[in-house]
Amino acid sequence: MDGTLSQDGELTPDSVAKAVGKENKSLFTIPSVVAMRPPALCEGCGHRDMYVTLTQVLKEEYPTHKVFSDIGCYTLGASAPFNAIDSCVDMGASITMAKGAADAGLHPSIAVIGDSTFTHSGMTGLLDCVNESTPLTIIISDNETTAMTGGQDSAGTGRIEAICLGLGVDPTHIRVVVPLKKNHEEMKQIIREEIEYRGVSVIIPRRECIQTLSRKKRSK
Ligand code: SF4
């Protein structure tokens, strides 16, 4: 609490070493000629189209919004040029934090989670929202794979809608869209409609991870 360590962000070897009065003796030093290359969503990724549309709607029409995100490729929506998410704590925290914010009166309260993370630890949060008819919008950005760990199927591959239905989400508020530039206006309209609906809504932008897709093509 005295500011020695930041209260948010990540703990790094350097910051921890400094806090305990040690020196972090790095085994490797990065030559100055090497440019910094912060991680970014792949060019052409469906998460990009989702974030472009979401941030446009929220910034232009809902200035009081907050977006609670989760752990996956889509966490990179925190970085420029999107600057799209306000929190990322742990797997599943997007829905539970968005629920807490909605319960406290925030509108719109948006959760962004991936298909794999949703079936890892997002489903219980959704059930809680359904049980209490919480007014929030959950975006399950479905890349049809577990991209971060190499492209395995998730427990929900091919049945995200069925899981949402089974947990009790009103079928008229489970909206599927293909996140492509040509569908930008359609996606904007869906986001608007579901934000205006004061209950549990799930939007599923679905487009396969282009890395998984190209691996499949190469192996044929
Ligand atoms: S690995 Fe796949 S899901 Fe992840 S950023 Fe790249 S294209 Fe998108």
Side-chain angles (χ1 to χ4, degrees):
M1 298 299 289
D2 67 0
T4 308
L5 287 169
S6 172
Q7 290 182 38
D8 58 23
E10 292 187 53
L11 297 176
T12 66
D14 279 339
S15 65
V16 174
K18 199 170 156 199
V20 297
K22 304 275 186 191
E23 189 188 347
N24 177 29
K25 291 180 185 156
S26 299
L27 294 176
F28 305 101
T29 50
I30 301 172
S32 58
V33 70
V34 177
M36 289 292 288
R37 288 183 300 168
L41 291 168
C42 301
E43 293 296 334
C45 174
H47 297 321
R48 281 183 172 263
D49 294 280
M50 179 274 291
Y51 276 131
V52 166
T53 313
L54 179 66
T55 52
Q56 193 177 349
V57 173
L58 293 178
K59 282 182 182 159
E60 289 175 4
E61 301 172 40
Y62 299 97
T64 60
H65 72 271
K66 291 280 180 241
V67 178
F68 304 89
S69 193
D70 229 292
I71 312 286
C73 289
Y74 51 89
T75 315
L76 295 169
S79 309
F82 311 104
N83 304 314
I85 66 178
D86 296 292
S87 77
C88 172
V89 176
D90 59 43
M91 290 184 86
S94 56
I95 297 177
T96 48
M97 288 179 72
K99 182 187 186 318
D103 288 344
L106 177 73
H107 181 264
S109 185
I110 314 278
V112 174
I113 188 168
D115 51 315
S116 315
T117 318
F118 174 68
T119 48
H120 180 281
S121 50
M123 292 161 52
T124 45
L126 175 56
L127 180 60
D128 204 20
C129 295
V130 169
N131 285 343
E132 298 187 7
S133 301
T134 309
L136 88 172
T137 304
I138 298 168
I139 296 178
I140 304 177
S141 197
D142 186 357
N143 60 5
E144 301 187 293
T145 189
T146 313
M148 284 191 88
T149 52
Q152 304 83 0
D153 279 356
S154 79
T157 301
R159 47 187 180 151
I160 297 292
E161 292 96 310
I163 292 169
C164 293
L165 278 171
L167 291 172
V169 181
D170 180 338
T172 58
H173 294 285
I174 300 175
R175 311 284 298 272
V176 182
V177 63
V178 181
L180 283 168
K181 282 187 180 50
K182 67 178 181 180
N183 298 333
H184 179 72
E185 289 304 322
E186 178 196 358
M187 208 167 11
K188 269 176 88 170
Q189 188 55 28
I190 287 174
I191 291 170
R192 275 193 207 104
E193 286 172 10
E194 296 311 325
I195 284 176
E196 291 303 323
Y197 170 61
R198 301 301 176 112
V200 181
S201 60
V202 176
I203 301 172
I204 307 172
R206 173 176 293 131
R207 182 153 66 79
E208 187 170 3
C209 163
I210 54 175
Q211 302 296 346
T212 309
L213 197 58
S214 60
R215 268 200 300 276
K216 277 185 198 163
K217 282 183 182 163
R218 281 198 300 271
S219 66
K220 277 185 185 166

